[in-house]
Amino acid sequence: MSMSDYYEVIDPRFARLFNGSGQVQRLATGMSWAEGPAWFGGGRYLVWSDIPNNRMMRYDETDGSVSVFRQPSNNANGNTVDRQGRLITCEHGGRRVSRTEHDGTIVTLADSFEGKRLNSPNDAVVKSDGSIWFTDPMYGIDSDYEGNKAVSEIGACNVYRIDGDTGEVTAVITDMVRPNGLAFSLDEKQLYVADTGVTHVPGTPAGIRVYDVAADGRSVGDSRQFCISANGLADGFRLDSEGRIWTSAGDGVHCWHPDGTLLGKVKVPEGVANVCWGGNKHNVLYICASTSLYAVRLMVNGARYA
Ligand code: MG
């Protein structure tokens, strides 16, 4: 491949974000649907989900080895790491958000709202106050393919907040079709949420909405469309340390300036579902793409918790 095969510059501002010799490398393959990457800096390994195969995988950066991290995984989907370094997991099959404690115990953080079971938590992010915000579309109960077929008890696909102190679950966004990936802006004054609702409701904008976080930091107010995906769906995404959004798309990873401009693309041979930053310098973008895990070392660093 020539170097240009890996990147597409759409806005000149994208050119300094990558090194022309930096390759998109396939680190692992053989998954059915790779999702939910999460980086553990202390151990220098990545954990991600293979949803239909009911397992979570582990990539060790120190020697390149790949192994099964957890099986069965309750058809785990999105993963993230909280401020104490604990694994937070969205489980389709378990219909819950779980946390893996330092001793390995897995505890339930949320499995219901107002007495009704959650649909199938998809992706989660941890805010600086210790609260966990997660999306709850129905992909894990639509069929047995990536969870367990069931009828929604809630009857809606919301975004929820788990209070870091009390564990109370509140609905923070109730006007989306299929909320999916999410991340806070660097100052946590805005919350970006992808809506993949076009899979069920034609005409739903396939992109990312941005919500103003209320002054109390516990709810959101006004929202607007942040971007419309230039190819396929925006599913999971992460921010870099300068606030740009690196999001999944049908033809790779798209980089959006916070002003809403599509800056460029990292081209990936398979459709991308989710990404996260890792590596000792936090400048490696790990990419979960259909059957494979890819990585690319960039000229920017990821935001630690956005
Ligand atoms: Mg997702």
Side-chain angles (χ1 to χ4, degrees), residues 45-124:
Y45 61 89
L46 183 90
V47 166
W48 77 97
S49 298
D50 179 3
I51 308 174
N53 287 321
N54 198 18
R55 61 180 181 168
M56 294 166 70
M57 307 297 292
R58 180 184 190 273
Y59 169 78
D60 188 326
E61 185 197 49
T62 66
D63 61 5
S65 62
V66 176
S67 57
V68 174
F69 175 80
R70 177 182 297 168
Q71 189 173 29
S73 63
N74 288 336
N75 299 102
N77 185 341
N79 297 286
T80 194
V81 180
D82 74 8
R83 303 295 168 112
Q84 287 74 44
R86 297 169 295 191
L87 172 65
I88 306 292
T89 299
C90 295
E91 300 180 2
H92 280 184
R95 298 178 67 170
R96 66 172 181 168
V97 178
S98 69
R99 183 174 67 210
T100 303
E101 308 291 16
H102 290 302
D103 67 1
T105 308
I106 301 173
V107 300
T108 298
L109 299 182
D111 60 5
S112 65
F113 175 65
E114 294 182 339
K116 297 173 181 172
R117 293 187 74 184
L118 297 174
N119 300 320
S120 50
N122 188 291
D123 215 343

Side-chain angles (χ1 to χ4, degrees), residues 35 77 122-123 180-181 235-236 273-274:
E35 248 282 10
N77 185 341
N122 188 291
D123 215 343
N180 204 312
D235 186 339
N274 215 330

